[in-house]
Amino acid sequence: TYQRSRRGIHATRKIKQGEAIEKGDIQVIRPGDAVDVGAEPKRFDEIIGSVAVSEIEQGQGVTVDDLEI
């Protein structure tokens, strides 16, 4: 299905609550069967510098709800 093949932004490491997101902390991947598809790749630059409002596990999809943009 489209949802499973859609690319999204995912954490490359565990990000703690209150941490600012740096370029190396996220990547754009096609997650396959992952349930938590992250934000659209076009939001990558917008997410850089944002602060995590909750803990984000490594490999987890990063959404705007996870961040204070």
Side-chain angles (χ1 to χ4, degrees):
T1 66
Y2 174 75
Q3 186 70 3
R4 286 178 41 205
S5 63
R6 184 172 77 79
R7 291 168 22 123
I9 298 174
H10 290 255
T12 60
R13 66 173 185 85
K14 186 175 187 174
I15 301 168
K16 296 178 184 173
Q17 181 179 359
E19 274 191 275
I21 307 296
E22 298 179 5
K23 190 173 185 175
D25 296 336
I26 57 174
Q27 65 180 345
V28 176
I29 63 170
R30 185 168 281 126
D33 290 333
V35 183
D36 59 342
V37 177
E40 296 175 312
K42 68 182 181 181
R43 301 195 81 168
F44 190 91
D45 290 335
E46 178 185 0
I47 289 173
I48 302 300
S50 298
V51 176
V53 296
S54 60
E55 191 170 271
I56 304 168
E57 295 294 329
Q58 180 177 356
Q60 179 181 332
V62 179
T63 67
V64 293
D65 294 335
D66 297 322
L67 308 168
E68 185 177 300
I69 296 181

